[in-house]
Amino acid sequence: MATLDDVRAIAAGLPGSEERATTGGVAWFVRRKPFAWECHPWPSIPADVREIVATELVVGVKIADRVDALALREMLPDVFLPATTAWGEPKVAFRMAGIEPDHLAELVTEAWRAQAPKYLQREFDDAAG
């Protein structure tokens, strides 16, 4: 099962990434914009989703496009939760127990790209070769 330490390790390799403790747990930011976060069962979340978030480790990530978020939810409905709140859309929340390591790395990196300025994206791409 993937853990927050896995997210932490991926985020650590992304330029400008910063981890912060928030009222809802841990979150990762780039230039003060959140790109990944630990989900908590806030009252504003629909009851069925809130029950899952209360009993499992769930992480949310920023997504560049609403269509991509819908596709992920349809492709793996047992992993990706239905919409949580309207705040921060487009985004997806997923069960860490069901996510594959490569997919986790892709989700966190793409979430970072959705929030990172172009110069940090170029820095990352140049370092990757």
Side-chain angles (χ1 to χ4, degrees):
M1 179 173 105
T3 68
L4 291 177
D5 284 338
D6 297 323
V7 177
R8 185 172 284 117
I10 296 162
L14 302 169
S17 175
E18 178 185 344
E19 181 178 329
R20 294 186 205 160
T22 66
T23 55
V26 64
W28 291 268
F29 295 78
V30 60
R31 302 284 299 170
R32 297 187 304 259
K33 295 179 183 178
F35 66 89
W37 54 89
E38 180 181 5
C39 294
H40 281 271
W42 301 112
S44 58
I45 296 174
D48 59 333
V49 176
R50 189 170 54 242
E51 185 178 323
I52 293 167
V53 172
T55 60
E56 296 181 38
L57 178 57
V58 175
V59 167
V61 293
K62 187 74 174 163
I63 298 290
D65 187 274
R66 288 186 197 286
V67 174
D68 293 340
L70 290 172
L72 287 167
R73 289 181 186 120
E74 289 178 8
M75 186 173 57
L76 294 168
D78 292 338
V79 175
F80 290 91
L81 303 180
T84 54
T85 64
W87 172 85
E89 287 290 340
K91 66 183 179 207
V92 292
F94 54 90
R95 294 172 153 137
M96 290 289 280
I99 203 78
E100 295 294 325
D102 289 346
H103 200 187
L104 178 63
E106 179 183 348
L107 287 166
V108 172
T109 302
E110 290 306 311
W112 172 84
R113 282 187 185 283
Q115 299 289 60
K118 298 284 185 221
Y119 77 93
L120 287 178
Q121 292 182 43
R122 278 193 303 274
E123 181 182 323
F124 177 73
D125 292 340
D126 290 348

